[in-house]
Amino acid sequence: MSLIRRRKPNETSRPTRSDPSSIGKEDDNKKKIPAKDQHAEEIALKKLRKWSCIDSCCWLIGSICVTWWFLLFLYNAIPASFNQYVTEAITGPVPDPPGVKLKKEGLTVKHPVVFVPGIVTGGLELWEGHQCAEGLFRKRLWGGTFGEVYKRPLCWVEHMSLDNETGLDPSGIRVRPVSGLVAADYFAPGYFVWAVLIANLARIGYEEKTMYMAAYDWRISFQNTEVRDQTLSRIKSNIELMVATNGGNKAVIIPHSMGVLYFLHFMKWVEAPAPMGGGGGPDWCAKHIKTVMNIGGPFLGVSKAVGGLFSAEAKDIAVIRATAPGFLDNDIFRLQTLQHVMRMTRTWDSTMSMIPKGGDTIWGGLDWSPEEGYTPSKRKQRNNDTQVANEDESEVVASQRKHVNFGRIISFGKDIAEAPSSQIDMIDFRGAVKGNSVANNTCRDVWTEYHEMGFEGIKAVAEYKAYTAESVLDLLHFVAPKLMARGSAHFSYGIADNLDDPKYRHYKYWSNPLETTLPNAPDMEIFSMYGVGIPTERAYVYKLTPSADCYIPFQIDTSADDDDTPLKDGVYAVDGDETVPVLSAGFMCAKGWRGKTRFNPSGIRTYLREYEHSPPANLLEGRGTQSGAHVDIMGNFQLIEDIIRVAAGARGEDLGGDQVHSDIFKMSEKINLQL
């Protein structure tokens, strides 16, 4: 290359303007050189002295490649135990993985294990698509590297969206769940979901014939997974096969996140008569299921689902909007990001399964909530015998803080969130006339239903000012009528007055634990296992954004902060696992199903297992082995040990019964629910 061969001119031989004799000599030399050759020489000198952008890019790429190859060489040269050695040098000896520890204790395979993944963690692949998806047959559109998101984003959005009328496949598109353990072992390269648990189970002898990943298309409604893919029938058949080929030992079911609701639906479907159900008979669960170990289960829904459906954002998105104003709203590579996300996710019927259930009875009203008095603090561990003791040892700090209205899931303005309900002038939005559309023709590619509401409809939503769990349902019906019309046919959010009423035999009630009963299986056990100690979204302060073409008119007000309450960046937080509040994850096993109740007529034993969050001490620990975060808990050594012990034959009492760190029992006592 010319740059490498270029030499620096000798300073002593270079003529200078300050030397008259040298100038004369230079002029004489120029006269001797032909004009053509002189011109060519000047061009060559300019090329030598010029540093182009291409040269810079080449050097940059070369430097990156050399650095990458060097790091790759070091990675392959360093012993596999190096990370463990460094971690032990910093934090002390690292404990054996649960599988290794329990193998030393003599635990081996006994009960077959079924994994039920949650929303977004299962891979989806393309089986049929439009012209823009040429070459992607059976390539992952969801999970893996997500390469198609940045290669052809609009095509990806088109193929990940469902039909807005039916909630099923659009014409000419078929996206299906990946099958096998690889469907959800890793969400993306290096980001595990089920992989650590699978690896530890393998340590005591488990393999693919004794483990089954119940993969399903998490975008569509639960009943439609059977209508379109016969997924529920496949799960039934696989469980029956695994029980039959493992000496009649019943299965241990391990659902995570939305998979908890999906399996709750399955237990009603499998025993219901055909054609609506699986026709397994009223004792199918008793014959085939030993234990259901629910991890991070949103039994009663999550506030996060409301924020996602209302404005396509949660706390993280709101913070990005605040730190980079306009970034997510502007036309980035011809993609108005949040508008396309809203258009796509509002075709996913499964998201409606996580809207808060139980109304104001469970989640609180304008002036009260079960989490009243919550403040982040250290907690004492409690078990069955001490659940009532020490409850009066409420934090002194809590009594000194402001009253927080967690029951107002959405408030328009911080002042509205804090004001007594008697001082809020609420103008009903339900009868508001929609019209005077905000959108113009340029918005058709990023269409959302807000464009049909118009200025008057948007204004009416903001003037209602405060929304509780019950009025949020009316709000979503108003702002997303097509979504909620489909959802109303598949999901319900109330509390049953009489569970013997024939209407509750319909599948729309099967994933709501407050409108259905557990199976008649007195020997079965149900665990609720979840992390605590992480601020978790509970309520939001919103603002009405200036009207503009193609914009979503509502945003979380990240300027709303309060040092005296758990309000930060426009989000009120309570105790939970960063996604699911303790109230939603723990109430049913703490009270709703505890003992014989109308929701648990056969008296299935229920256990609470809470895992205090402890973040990794350093980067070499990755996501940590004591995490209580919603997904990272899947690598929590204590949780994995509990699961392996149950899979090897232990029962809840063998684990020590309840393990409680939060105020879930105290919260449950505040809820007046007929049992």
Side-chain angles (χ1 to χ4, degrees), residues 315 318-319 321-322 541 543 556-561 568-570:
K315 182 179 179 179
V319 170
R321 267 181 154 167
V541 175
K543 64 181 179 179
I556 295 174
D557 186 0
T558 53
S559 66
D561 285 293
K568 185 178 181 182
D569 296 325

Side-chain angles (χ1 to χ4, degrees), residues 291-306:
T291 307
V292 182
M293 307 189 79
N294 302 291
I295 304 175
F299 288 103
L300 302 177
V302 291
S303 301
K304 227 172 187 178
V306 176

Side-chain angles (χ1 to χ4, degrees), residues 390-457:
N390 298 328
E391 280 187 354
D392 293 332
E393 296 180 9
S394 301
E395 301 84 347
V396 176
V397 180
S399 62
Q400 299 174 345
R401 292 191 174 227
K402 292 181 184 177
H403 173 76
V404 179
N405 300 304
F406 290 116
R408 302 176 192 181
I409 295 179
I410 290 178
S411 300
F412 276 90
K414 182 184 173 185
D415 55 334
I416 298 298
E418 297 174 346
S421 61
S422 59
Q423 297 179 11
I424 302 176
D425 183 19
M426 302 169 70
I427 301 174
D428 199 345
F429 65 92
R430 296 172 182 86
V433 177
K434 298 181 181 181
N436 298 325
S437 177
V438 178
N440 59 30
N441 291 334
T442 63
C443 294
R444 288 182 178 177
D445 289 340
V446 289
W447 173 88
T448 68
E449 287 168 306
Y450 285 127
H451 301 142
E452 292 184 352
M453 286 175 57
F455 295 114
E456 294 302 320

Side-chain angles (χ1 to χ4, degrees), residues 567-587:
L567 173 64
K568 185 178 181 182
D569 296 325
V571 179
Y572 283 101
V574 293
D575 194 10
D577 68 359
E578 204 170 31
T579 296
V580 183
V582 165
L583 176 65
S584 180
F587 174 78

Side-chain angles (χ1 to χ4, degrees), residues 94 124 134 137 148 202 295 359 369 376 422 532 605 620:
V94 176
L124 299 175
E134 188 69 30
F137 176 67
E148 302 311 315
I295 304 175
S369 69
S422 59
V532 295
R605 293 293 301 271
L620 292 176

Side-chain angles (χ1 to χ4, degrees), residues 450-486:
Y450 285 127
H451 301 142
E452 292 184 352
M453 286 175 57
F455 295 114
E456 294 302 320
I458 291 169
K459 181 182 176 184
V461 167
E463 288 180 342
Y464 192 72
K465 297 184 175 66
Y467 295 84
T468 63
E470 289 181 3
S471 53
V472 153
L473 290 174
D474 294 328
L475 170 66
L476 293 176
H477 274 285
F478 187 77
V479 302
K482 291 186 177 181
L483 172 80
M484 295 303 289
R486 296 194 314 273

Side-chain angles (χ1 to χ4, degrees), residues 10-214:
N10 192 337
E11 296 292 338
T12 58
S13 63
R14 182 182 296 168
T16 62
R17 290 290 177 186
S18 59
D19 186 357
S21 61
S22 63
I23 294 172
K25 291 178 181 178
E26 183 180 348
D27 292 338
D28 293 339
N29 290 335
K30 284 183 179 180
K31 290 177 183 177
K32 295 177 183 179
I33 300 173
K36 185 176 181 181
D37 294 341
Q38 184 177 341
H39 181 66
E41 184 179 348
E42 288 176 356
I43 292 175
L45 286 172
K46 286 181 180 179
K47 286 183 178 179
L48 285 174
R49 292 171 183 169
K50 187 177 180 181
W51 185 271
S52 69
C53 291
I54 295 176
D55 296 325
S56 301
C57 290
C58 290
W59 278 106
L60 177 62
I61 293 170
S63 301
I64 292 172
C65 290
V66 170
T67 305
W68 173 253
W69 290 331
F70 178 69
L71 292 174
L72 195 61
F73 168 77
L74 289 179
Y75 177 80
N76 289 312
I78 292 173
S81 60
F82 179 75
N83 282 358
Q84 182 178 347
Y85 173 79
V86 175
T87 302
E88 288 181 352
I90 298 172
T91 63
V94 176
D96 285 335
V100 174
K101 173 187 173 182
L102 298 179
K103 184 178 181 180
K104 292 177 181 178
E105 293 183 15
L107 271 64
T108 58
V109 178
K110 184 174 182 181
H111 296 278
V113 172
V114 177
F115 310 115
V116 187
I119 191 169
V120 310
T121 55
L124 299 175
E125 61 187 17
L126 183 69
W127 281 78
E128 180 184 2
H130 294 163
Q131 184 65 34
C132 66
E134 188 69 30
L136 296 181
F137 176 67
R138 295 208 64 200
K139 297 290 177 58
R140 288 201 183 195
L141 293 187
W142 189 272
T145 62
F146 286 90
E148 302 311 315
V149 176
Y150 55 83
K151 287 181 182 177
R152 27 189 159 184
L154 291 178
C155 183
W156 179 81
V157 168
E158 179 184 8
H159 285 75
M160 283 297 298
S161 299
L162 296 168
D163 187 276
N164 205 33
E165 300 291 339
T166 65
L168 294 170
D169 294 323
S171 177
I173 294 176
R174 281 186 296 147
V175 175
R176 297 293 181 264
V178 177
S179 60
L181 295 178
V182 297
D185 54 352
Y186 287 91
F187 175 63
Y191 192 89
F192 70 82
V193 182
W194 294 91
V196 177
L197 176 56
I198 291 170
N200 278 278
L201 283 165
R203 295 274 191 176
I204 68 166
Y206 277 87
E207 51 189 282
E208 200 146 12
K209 68 180 181 181
T210 48
M211 292 189 287
Y212 167 62
M213 183 70 71

